[in-house]
Amino acid sequence: MAATALPPLPPQFKSIQHHLRTAQELDKREPVVAYYCRLYAMQTGMKIDSKTPECRKFLSKLMDQLEAMKKQFGDNEAITQEIVGSAHVENYALKMFLYADNEDRAGQFHKNMIKSFYTASLLIDVLTVFGELSEENVQHRKYARWKAAYIHNCLKNGETPQPGPIGMEGESFDVEREEAGSSSLNSGTTQPTSSSTYEANNIPTSNYTGIHIPPGAHAPANTPAEVPHNTGVTSNTIQPAPQNIPLVDPSLYSAQSPGEVRLTPEDFARAQKYCKYAGSALQYEDVSTAVQNLQKALKLLITGRE
């Protein structure tokens, strides 16, 4: 990443400080995700305030960082092609979510799991740079933020959290990074002007049934990407999760030949998207997701239907 330092974060941009910090944390191991975190912060900041001098100065420096990253990773399709970038960010967000969800359902409550839930929700925010979120991602974001708040507050109060989906109640969660030595947004000594508290008041109190992920069923191998040393867990204890490889859809064998189907440009675009999703899933050794997306593309190209 370019060494362009950001000025102090204006108070108006409080809502994007954690997206920027996530970008900073991912610069080395996930530069593509870090790039889109900054792009989200840039677009959101422009909507919040692009006129006051301190905000304009901050956004200008942030733009310099984005331009430097574009030059550095100009040969990366995930930067140059939005459809590839979207698949890459979504897969990484899902990776974080599934790691936290599996830990939660196993009753393994710790800071790294809480952080993974919250980071997943931030990365789903980032997906809005590619367009409107799917309903599934909207629900994942709500659930991840609520879980992070709920488990954090339970541990803080000395209570044992209930694993898995349960009735949601309003929770607030101080998401200011708790790890010692956390770096500032401008790589200097200036810290964000204030902490950010997540308020879950806009989430309905109900029995949450929007997440249907069997424990371990879709967890990519080798997750999480990094286990912070202060959790008491070493990376050597993380074993690749067994993967349930879906069977090939038998209907594909008897489907009509491609020459008998007229495909629209939209069909080709959707098929290309499924192939990109499959390629991104393979980067995380997630064979199941790759196979599912390839089958969707194949079915669409053979039958003209999804």
Side-chain angles (χ1 to χ4, degrees):
M1 235 291 292
T4 304
L6 292 176
L9 184 76
Q12 298 95 312
F13 292 162
K14 174 181 173 181
S15 64
I16 60 174
Q17 65 177 334
H18 295 290
H19 301 86
L20 289 169
R21 187 161 294 162
T22 297
Q24 196 174 54
E25 292 172 353
L26 295 176
D27 270 333
K28 291 184 178 180
R29 70 174 184 268
E30 278 294 336
V32 169
V33 180
Y35 170 82
Y36 284 110
C37 285
R38 287 186 173 88
L39 182 59
Y40 169 83
M42 181 74 190
Q43 292 181 356
T44 305
M46 291 288 289
K47 294 175 184 176
I48 294 172
D49 187 344
S50 61
K51 295 182 179 180
T52 59
E54 62 176 345
C55 290
R56 291 183 64 179
K57 180 181 178 181
F58 186 88
L59 292 173
S60 176
K61 292 296 184 181
L62 183 56
M63 177 65 78
D64 290 343
Q65 286 191 350
L66 285 167
E67 290 301 322
M69 293 186 78
K70 260 191 172 182
K71 290 180 181 179
Q72 184 178 356
F73 304 106
D75 59 346
N76 191 321
E77 281 192 344
I79 298 292
T80 60
Q81 297 186 32
E82 283 195 354
I83 192 170
V84 185
S86 176
H88 189 96
V89 175
E90 187 171 19
N91 271 290
Y92 193 79
L94 183 61
K95 175 184 179 181
M96 300 292 288
F97 181 91
L98 290 176
Y99 165 70
D101 185 61
N102 289 333
E103 290 289 279
D104 173 42
R105 291 170 188 257
Q108 301 295 322
F109 305 111
H110 48 81
K111 287 183 179 180
N112 190 45
M113 178 257 274
I114 295 171
K115 182 177 178 180
S116 293
F117 263 135
Y118 190 71
T119 300
S121 75
L122 295 176
L123 295 181
I124 295 175
D125 286 341
V126 172
L127 287 174
T128 59
V129 304
F130 304 107
E132 187 176 353
L133 293 178
S134 67
E135 182 59 29
E136 182 181 22
N137 280 333
V138 170
Q139 295 302 319
H140 278 130
R141 181 174 61 181
K142 285 183 179 180
Y143 182 75
R145 280 194 178 149
W146 176 80
K147 263 294 182 178
Y150 168 71
I151 296 171
H152 174 270
N153 290 336
C154 281
L155 297 182
K156 182 179 178 181
N157 297 327
E159 302 170 355
T160 301
Q162 286 185 254
I166 56 176
M168 293 198 298
E169 298 176 357
E171 299 279 352
S172 64
F173 174 33
D174 184 355
V175 296
E176 197 60 38
R177 306 298 191 192
E178 298 178 357
E179 294 86 348
S182 177
S183 57
S184 65
L185 293 178
N186 66 339
S187 301
T189 58
T190 304
Q191 296 295 328
T193 56
S194 61
S195 66
S196 174
T197 299
Y198 169 67
E199 298 290 346
N201 297 330
N202 61 336
I203 299 178
T205 301
S206 62
N207 182 30
Y208 192 84
T209 58
I211 305 296
H212 301 286
I213 305 175
H218 300 85
N222 302 322
T223 53
E226 178 178 84
V227 180
H229 57 273
N230 63 351
T231 64
V233 181
T234 64
S235 58
N236 291 333
T237 64
I238 304 297
Q239 299 297 325
Q243 300 190 48
N244 295 330
I245 309 302
L247 297 175
V248 176
D249 185 353
S251 65
L252 294 178
Y253 294 120
S254 58
Q256 61 194 110
S257 65
E260 300 174 10
V261 177
R262 291 191 175 184
L263 299 174
T264 66
E266 290 76 16
D267 292 331
F268 285 112
R270 285 199 300 272
Q272 183 185 38
K273 181 177 73 171
Y274 288 135
C275 291
K276 297 294 185 183
Y277 283 166
S280 184
L282 288 176
Q283 291 183 355
Y284 299 114
E285 303 175 21
D286 186 357
V287 179
S288 177
T289 299
V291 171
Q292 289 174 0
N293 280 288
L294 288 173
Q295 287 197 94
K296 288 179 181 178
L298 187 59
K299 182 177 181 180
L300 179 59
L301 293 173
I302 293 177
T303 67
R305 301 188 304 272
E306 294 189 72

mmCIF file of all heavy atoms in Angstrom, residues 69 82 93 103 112 121 135 144 188 195 203 229 231 248 293 296 305:
data_model
loop_
_atom_site.group_PDB
_atom_site.id
_atom_site.type_symbol
_atom_site.label_atom_id
_atom_site.label_comp_id
_atom_site.label_asym_id
_atom_site.label_seq_id
_atom_site.Cartn_x
_atom_site.Cartn_y
_atom_site.Cartn_z
ATOM 1 N N MET A 69 -3.251 2.363 -4.957
ATOM 2 C CA MET A 69 -3.570 0.930 -4.950
ATOM 3 C C MET A 69 -3.954 0.455 -6.345
ATOM 4 O O MET A 69 -3.601 -0.654 -6.750
ATOM 5 C CB MET A 69 -4.698 0.636 -3.954
ATOM 6 C CG MET A 69 -4.328 0.860 -2.499
ATOM 7 S SD MET A 69 -5.616 0.331 -1.342
ATOM 8 C CE MET A 69 -5.370 -1.452 -1.355
ATOM 9 N N GLU A 82 -15.482 -5.159 -11.844
ATOM 10 C CA GLU A 82 -16.340 -5.111 -10.668
ATOM 11 C C GLU A 82 -16.973 -6.458 -10.339
ATOM 12 O O GLU A 82 -17.135 -6.807 -9.172
ATOM 13 C CB GLU A 82 -17.442 -4.063 -10.856
ATOM 14 C CG GLU A 82 -16.964 -2.635 -10.671
ATOM 15 C CD GLU A 82 -18.113 -1.677 -10.499
ATOM 16 O OE1 GLU A 82 -19.282 -2.103 -10.630
ATOM 17 O OE2 GLU A 82 -17.851 -0.490 -10.224
ATOM 18 N N ALA A 93 -16.284 -11.969 2.977
ATOM 19 C CA ALA A 93 -17.257 -11.651 4.026
ATOM 20 C C ALA A 93 -17.935 -12.923 4.523
ATOM 21 O O ALA A 93 -18.129 -13.114 5.737
ATOM 22 C CB ALA A 93 -18.303 -10.668 3.487
ATOM 23 N N GLU A 103 -18.118 -21.065 15.227
ATOM 24 C CA GLU A 103 -17.633 -20.928 16.600
ATOM 25 C C GLU A 103 -18.798 -20.697 17.561
ATOM 26 O O GLU A 103 -18.858 -21.278 18.651
ATOM 27 C CB GLU A 103 -16.642 -19.766 16.695
ATOM 28 C CG GLU A 103 -15.318 -20.006 16.001
ATOM 29 C CD GLU A 103 -14.459 -21.029 16.725
ATOM 30 O OE1 GLU A 103 -13.790 -20.673 17.701
ATOM 31 O OE2 GLU A 103 -14.478 -22.221 16.310
ATOM 32 N N ASN A 112 -11.981 -13.007 19.060
ATOM 33 C CA ASN A 112 -11.763 -13.158 17.624
ATOM 34 C C ASN A 112 -13.058 -13.497 16.903
ATOM 35 O O ASN A 112 -13.303 -13.037 15.784
ATOM 36 C CB ASN A 112 -10.716 -14.244 17.365
ATOM 37 C CG ASN A 112 -10.286 -14.276 15.907
ATOM 38 O OD1 ASN A 112 -10.022 -13.242 15.303
ATOM 39 N ND2 ASN A 112 -10.227 -15.464 15.337
ATOM 40 N N SER A 121 -20.006 -7.986 8.941
ATOM 41 C CA SER A 121 -21.065 -6.990 8.714
ATOM 42 C C SER A 121 -20.512 -5.756 8.006
ATOM 43 O O SER A 121 -21.175 -5.178 7.138
ATOM 44 C CB SER A 121 -21.718 -6.599 10.041
ATOM 45 O OG SER A 121 -20.895 -5.734 10.807
ATOM 46 N N GLU A 135 -31.266 -9.728 -0.456
ATOM 47 C CA GLU A 135 -31.977 -9.871 0.811
ATOM 48 C C GLU A 135 -31.208 -10.772 1.767
ATOM 49 O O GLU A 135 -31.184 -10.536 2.988
ATOM 50 C CB GLU A 135 -33.381 -10.438 0.571
ATOM 51 C CG GLU A 135 -34.224 -10.581 1.842
ATOM 52 C CD GLU A 135 -34.427 -9.256 2.564
ATOM 53 O OE1 GLU A 135 -34.439 -8.191 1.897
ATOM 54 O OE2 GLU A 135 -34.560 -9.278 3.804
ATOM 55 N N ALA A 144 -25.180 -10.645 11.913
ATOM 56 C CA ALA A 144 -23.782 -10.571 12.340
ATOM 57 C C ALA A 144 -23.571 -9.421 13.315
ATOM 58 O O ALA A 144 -22.885 -9.569 14.335
ATOM 59 C CB ALA A 144 -22.871 -10.414 11.115
ATOM 60 N N GLY A 188 -0.087 7.220 11.961
ATOM 61 C CA GLY A 188 0.700 8.050 12.860
ATOM 62 C C GLY A 188 0.231 7.874 14.282
ATOM 63 O O GLY A 188 -0.080 6.781 14.714
ATOM 64 N N SER A 195 -15.196 7.107 19.849
ATOM 65 C CA SER A 195 -15.524 5.704 19.629
ATOM 66 C C SER A 195 -16.852 5.598 18.914
ATOM 67 O O SER A 195 -17.650 6.527 18.907
ATOM 68 C CB SER A 195 -15.594 4.965 20.969
ATOM 69 O OG SER A 195 -16.671 5.454 21.727
ATOM 70 N N ILE A 203 -33.329 -3.059 14.683
ATOM 71 C CA ILE A 203 -33.541 -4.469 14.367
ATOM 72 C C ILE A 203 -34.743 -4.967 15.161
ATOM 73 O O ILE A 203 -34.806 -4.799 16.375
ATOM 74 C CB ILE A 203 -32.304 -5.310 14.707
ATOM 75 C CG1 ILE A 203 -31.118 -4.809 13.880
ATOM 76 C CG2 ILE A 203 -32.542 -6.777 14.451
ATOM 77 C CD1 ILE A 203 -29.831 -5.528 14.168
ATOM 78 N N HIS A 229 -3.032 -13.394 18.270
ATOM 79 C CA HIS A 229 -2.363 -14.124 19.331
ATOM 80 C C HIS A 229 -3.030 -13.948 20.675
ATOM 81 O O HIS A 229 -2.889 -14.785 21.554
ATOM 82 C CB HIS A 229 -0.902 -13.662 19.426
ATOM 83 C CG HIS A 229 -0.748 -12.189 19.658
ATOM 84 N ND1 HIS A 229 -0.718 -11.281 18.618
ATOM 85 C CD2 HIS A 229 -0.639 -11.473 20.800
ATOM 86 C CE1 HIS A 229 -0.579 -10.063 19.119
ATOM 87 N NE2 HIS A 229 -0.536 -10.150 20.432
ATOM 88 N N THR A 231 -6.032 -14.314 21.542
ATOM 89 C CA THR A 231 -7.193 -15.155 21.812
ATOM 90 C C THR A 231 -6.819 -16.411 22.554
ATOM 91 O O THR A 231 -7.692 -17.146 23.015
ATOM 92 C CB THR A 231 -7.884 -15.571 20.492
ATOM 93 O OG1 THR A 231 -6.967 -16.379 19.748
ATOM 94 C CG2 THR A 231 -8.291 -14.364 19.672
ATOM 95 N N VAL A 248 -23.508 -33.690 -8.692
ATOM 96 C CA VAL A 248 -23.865 -33.048 -9.949
ATOM 97 C C VAL A 248 -25.349 -33.266 -10.213
ATOM 98 O O VAL A 248 -25.870 -34.370 -10.049
ATOM 99 C CB VAL A 248 -23.031 -33.626 -11.113
ATOM 100 C CG1 VAL A 248 -23.474 -33.037 -12.439
ATOM 101 C CG2 VAL A 248 -21.549 -33.366 -10.868
ATOM 102 N N ASN A 293 -21.811 -23.014 -7.923
ATOM 103 C CA ASN A 293 -21.888 -21.915 -8.882
ATOM 104 C C ASN A 293 -21.610 -22.373 -10.304
ATOM 105 O O ASN A 293 -22.234 -21.894 -11.253
ATOM 106 C CB ASN A 293 -20.918 -20.805 -8.475
ATOM 107 C CG ASN A 293 -21.477 -19.922 -7.382
ATOM 108 O OD1 ASN A 293 -22.379 -19.134 -7.605
ATOM 109 N ND2 ASN A 293 -20.948 -20.069 -6.181
ATOM 110 N N LYS A 296 -24.742 -23.922 -11.571
ATOM 111 C CA LYS A 296 -25.732 -22.906 -11.934
ATOM 112 C C LYS A 296 -25.425 -22.325 -13.312
ATOM 113 O O LYS A 296 -26.331 -22.117 -14.128
ATOM 114 C CB LYS A 296 -25.743 -21.793 -10.880
ATOM 115 C CG LYS A 296 -26.363 -22.190 -9.549
ATOM 116 C CD LYS A 296 -26.304 -21.032 -8.560
ATOM 117 C CE LYS A 296 -26.908 -21.412 -7.219
ATOM 118 N NZ LYS A 296 -26.812 -20.293 -6.234
ATOM 119 N N ARG A 305 -32.458 -21.534 -18.313
ATOM 120 C CA ARG A 305 -33.177 -21.272 -17.051
ATOM 121 C C ARG A 305 -32.238 -21.460 -15.881
ATOM 122 O O ARG A 305 -31.238 -22.173 -15.976
ATOM 123 C CB ARG A 305 -34.367 -22.221 -16.908
ATOM 124 C CG ARG A 305 -35.388 -22.136 -18.041
ATOM 125 C CD ARG A 305 -36.624 -22.967 -17.716
ATOM 126 N NE ARG A 305 -36.253 -24.374 -17.427
ATOM 127 C CZ ARG A 305 -36.149 -25.312 -18.356
ATOM 128 N NH1 ARG A 305 -36.331 -25.005 -19.629
ATOM 129 N NH2 ARG A 305 -35.840 -26.551 -18.027
#
